[in-house]
Amino acid sequence: MAGRSNIPANNSALIAIIADEDTVTGFLMAGVGNVDLRKKTNYLLVDNKTTVKQIEDAFKEFTAREDIAIVLISQYVSKPLL
């Protein structure tokens, strides 16, 4: 993306996850979860009450953060967005 700085070189890049409960739980158990000092997480747990706007806002937030290198969106979540 034009104008975006490079991923930090101090090996602190994260994976962000927008997914259903099972997928998020699996990644958290693998140690991918992170909560920063502002209480911001690197995941959004999507259920049947989650709105498309909440998913879009999370995606925009994750892609704007400099500490996130990859945004993973599960197929379960992406279908309503199409």
Side-chain angles (χ1 to χ4, degrees), residues 15-49:
I15 297 173
I17 306 153
I18 302 174
D20 58 284
E21 183 176 11
D22 291 339
T23 304
V24 170
T25 301
F27 274 89
L28 293 179
M29 288 175 61
V32 175
N34 184 58
V35 180
D36 66 10
L37 296 173
R38 298 169 296 163
K39 306 282 186 197
K40 294 283 189 178
T41 62
N42 64 325
Y43 58 89
L44 173 68
L45 192 133
V46 178
D47 59 14
N48 58 358
K49 296 177 185 168

Side-chain angles (χ1 to χ4, degrees), residues 18 44 46-47 49-60:
I18 302 174
L44 173 68
V46 178
D47 59 14
K49 296 177 185 168
T50 307
T51 65
V52 172
K53 180 165 178 21
Q54 289 173 309
I55 296 169
E56 290 173 348
D57 290 346
F59 179 79
K60 289 176 186 175

